[in-house]
Amino acid sequence: MREKKSEALTDPQSWAALQAEIAACCRCPRLVAWREGVAQRKVARFREQTYWGRAVPGFGDPQARLWVIGLAPAAHGGNRTGRVFTGDPSGDWLFRALYRAGFANQPISLHREDGLQLRDCYISAVVRCAPPDNRPSAPEAKACLSYLKRELELLAQVRVILALGHFAFRYTLALLPPLRPRPRFGHNCVVPLGEGRYLLTSYHPSRRNTATQRLTEAMLDAVFERALQLLSPSPPSNPLIEF
């Protein structure tokens, strides 16, 4: 019975239906107005491009064992290109690291037709619309949480959930059974979830964090090295745990 359920959940039609529903989402009036306004105003360097201007679905391998969760699409990144972490500096950092770790076939992510493929990795965001000042409200995050829950159901093979930043960490915890004691956020820390699953945490590769070197490329590489260790047949017996 479990195998049949897994097959049903990973059916391409299930993924296509969820992605179409996300792209059509208009649950949050403030975010809808902002994302559409940005798509109309644009910025000078992208004024010849047609912006996506909608909610942004997840992207990657439906059979992934690694699930990466970010904050929200960037106004002139995912909100422009229609693909999460694509066309903005945060995505540049993320996909270079994914490429170096073997999860991506190329280190760049420019637009939806650039040939990028993810291997054993799926990428989502807590909030699916670009928010003003990159700051979604708590009600807006909660309105999107059902999409993460459905992705978790569809990602039947997932073993490592990587939360990029405290915001993603907070709402990833909301997807999971209560953990006691409640974990605290820290960079490159691991929380065992049982049944061979782990929650892994990292600083977000935002421009603010990378420009100040709070997060370096070596630090981000170390996170994906940790993910590979956790996905190995013999994960480390004493992962770094933060409570």
Side-chain angles (χ1 to χ4, degrees), residues 6-56:
S6 176
E7 289 173 1
L9 287 174
T10 56
D11 183 86
Q13 293 183 351
S14 299
W15 278 107
L18 175 57
Q19 292 187 330
E21 182 179 340
I22 292 172
C25 184
C26 292
R27 293 179 181 179
C28 303
R30 185 182 80 113
L31 297 187
V32 171
W34 175 257
R35 78 191 190 198
E36 292 179 354
V38 169
Q40 292 172 358
R41 294 188 299 271
K42 306 182 182 182
V43 290
R45 66 187 182 278
F46 300 131
R47 63 174 172 265
E48 302 301 324
Q49 298 187 18
T50 299
Y51 276 52
W52 173 260
R54 291 178 276 167
V56 181

Side-chain angles (χ1 to χ4, degrees), residues 9-169:
L9 287 174
T10 56
D11 183 86
Q13 293 183 351
S14 299
W15 278 107
L18 175 57
Q19 292 187 330
E21 182 179 340
I22 292 172
C25 184
C26 292
R27 293 179 181 179
C28 303
R30 185 182 80 113
L31 297 187
V32 171
W34 175 257
R35 78 191 190 198
E36 292 179 354
V38 169
Q40 292 172 358
R41 294 188 299 271
K42 306 182 182 182
V43 290
R45 66 187 182 278
F46 300 131
R47 63 174 172 265
E48 302 301 324
Q49 298 187 18
T50 299
Y51 276 52
W52 173 260
R54 291 178 276 167
V56 181
F59 166 70
D61 182 356
Q63 301 294 331
R65 295 179 301 154
L66 173 64
W67 185 21
V68 180
I69 302 177
L71 192 161
H76 304 286
N79 188 57
R80 171 175 59 89
T81 64
R83 193 170 70 193
V84 64
F85 276 107
T86 295
D88 66 87
S90 294
D92 294 342
W93 275 66
L94 177 61
F95 285 107
R96 284 198 301 267
L98 286 168
Y99 174 74
R100 290 191 293 265
F103 291 106
N105 69 326
Q106 62 188 42
I108 57 173
S109 179
L110 301 176
H111 53 79
R112 284 178 293 152
E113 306 300 328
D114 61 8
L116 176 66
Q117 296 179 3
L118 296 183
R119 309 184 187 102
D120 207 14
C121 177
Y122 195 84
I123 301 178
S124 305
V126 175
V127 175
R128 306 308 172 112
C129 296
D133 300 320
N134 208 32
R135 292 180 179 274
S137 68
E140 289 163 349
K142 290 177 182 177
C144 265
L145 199 58
S146 64
Y147 295 137
L148 280 180
K149 290 179 179 178
R150 288 167 63 186
E151 285 176 335
L152 180 57
E153 293 173 353
L154 288 168
L155 290 166
Q157 308 301 321
V158 74
R159 286 179 51 199
V160 176
I161 304 173
L162 170 56
L164 296 177
H166 186 270
F167 186 91
F169 171 74

